[in-house]
């Protein structure tokens, strides 16, 4: 955006810089964003964690988007994560049957997020993982990472991405098993223990 100096209409000046967001908090949240798995599905897992800044403080206004394959390793091709009523434009919610593999969760006042999804199956040579996109204040560009689930060390060791990382960096991509199908995955944006983020070219 530019502004015009009214005393000299020929001069075009740049607009002063502004703070980055979180202006997206107005339109992007939707009810049930973390309820990705159809209710009662036997392969449902619960993911939860915190989004933390460089000082380890939780961010209460971040967004976490998740994408995951189904238990057979197939990427879902169905619509329906944010169905709207064509007459009113109101949110109808998920249909509760199809698994879209996608969800969007806003962190709460304590920087916490949670989601229910299906345990992903392996795709290609990669160990099963869930793709993550993080939006937060101060980020000019959103960040991408992955959540790998613990349990099969041989499969994790053979994963092409994890194999390229030192052990301490690798551990930032592997969730902690909380038992009974629950996993914790904290996302640290910078500083000690910073999560490994991916760049797509």
């Amino acid at each position: 955006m530019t502004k015009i100096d009214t005393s000299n209409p020929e001069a075009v000046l740049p607009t002063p810089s502004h703070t980055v967001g979180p202006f997206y908090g107005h339109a992007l949240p939707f009810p049930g964003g973390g309820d990705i798995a159809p209710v009662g599905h036997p392969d449902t897992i619960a993911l939860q964690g915190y989004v933390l800044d460089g000082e380890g403080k939780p961010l209460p206004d971040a967004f976490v988007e998740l994408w995951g394959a189904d238990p057979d390793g197939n990427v879902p091709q169905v619509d329906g994560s944010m169905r709207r009523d064509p007459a009113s434009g109101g949110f109808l919610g998920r249909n509760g049957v199809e698994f879209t593999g996608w969800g969007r969760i806003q962190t709460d006042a304590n920087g916490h997020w949670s989601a229910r999804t299906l345990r992903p199956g392996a795709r290609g040579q990669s160990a099963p993982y869930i793709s993550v996109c993080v939006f937060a204040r101060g980020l000019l560009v959103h960040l991408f990472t992955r959540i790998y689930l613990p349990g099969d060390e041989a499969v994790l060791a053979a994963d092409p991405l994890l194999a390229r990382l030192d052990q301490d960096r690798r551990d930032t991509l592997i969730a902690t098993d909380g038992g009974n199908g629950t996993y914790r995955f904290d996302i640290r944006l910078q500083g000690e223990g910073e999560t490994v983020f991916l760049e797509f070219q």
Side-chain angles (χ1 to χ4, degrees), residues 20-49:
V20 176
F23 308 115
Y24 46 73
H26 170 69
L28 292 182
F30 66 98
D35 297 325
I36 306 167
V39 175
H41 196 289
D43 293 313
T44 299
I45 59 171
L47 296 171
Q48 59 92 19

Side-chain angles (χ1 to χ4, degrees), residues 16-166:
S17 62
H18 296 280
T19 301
V20 176
F23 308 115
Y24 46 73
H26 170 69
L28 292 182
F30 66 98
D35 297 325
I36 306 167
V39 175
H41 196 289
D43 293 313
T44 299
I45 59 171
L47 296 171
Q48 59 92 19
Y50 291 86
V51 178
L52 307 167
D53 66 14
E55 296 178 345
K57 295 179 181 175
L59 294 179
D61 50 15
F63 274 95
V64 177
E65 286 190 353
L66 304 176
W67 297 276
D70 67 18
D72 294 324
N74 300 314
V75 176
Q77 301 292 319
V78 296
D79 295 329
S81 291
M82 294 190 297
R83 296 182 313 134
R84 295 197 177 274
D85 184 323
S88 69
F91 180 73
L92 290 174
R94 299 176 193 268
N95 67 15
V97 178
E98 270 87 24
F99 173 67
T100 65
W102 181 83
R104 179 187 294 144
I105 309 101
Q106 184 172 14
T107 56
D108 65 16
N110 297 316
H112 184 262
W113 65 273
S114 63
R116 289 184 323 89
T117 189
L118 298 185
R119 178 181 296 278
R123 298 176 57 221
Q125 297 179 338
S126 297
Y129 66 86
I130 295 169
S131 296
V132 181
C133 182
V134 182
F135 300 80
R137 68 174 115 162
L139 292 179
L140 295 173
V141 178
H142 43 277
L143 302 173
F144 295 95
T145 189
R146 289 180 177 178
I147 300 173
Y148 289 91
L149 300 178
D152 192 333
E153 287 303 317
V155 171
L156 292 172
D159 181 86
L161 173 63
L162 293 177
R164 296 172 51 191
L165 301 171
D166 295 335

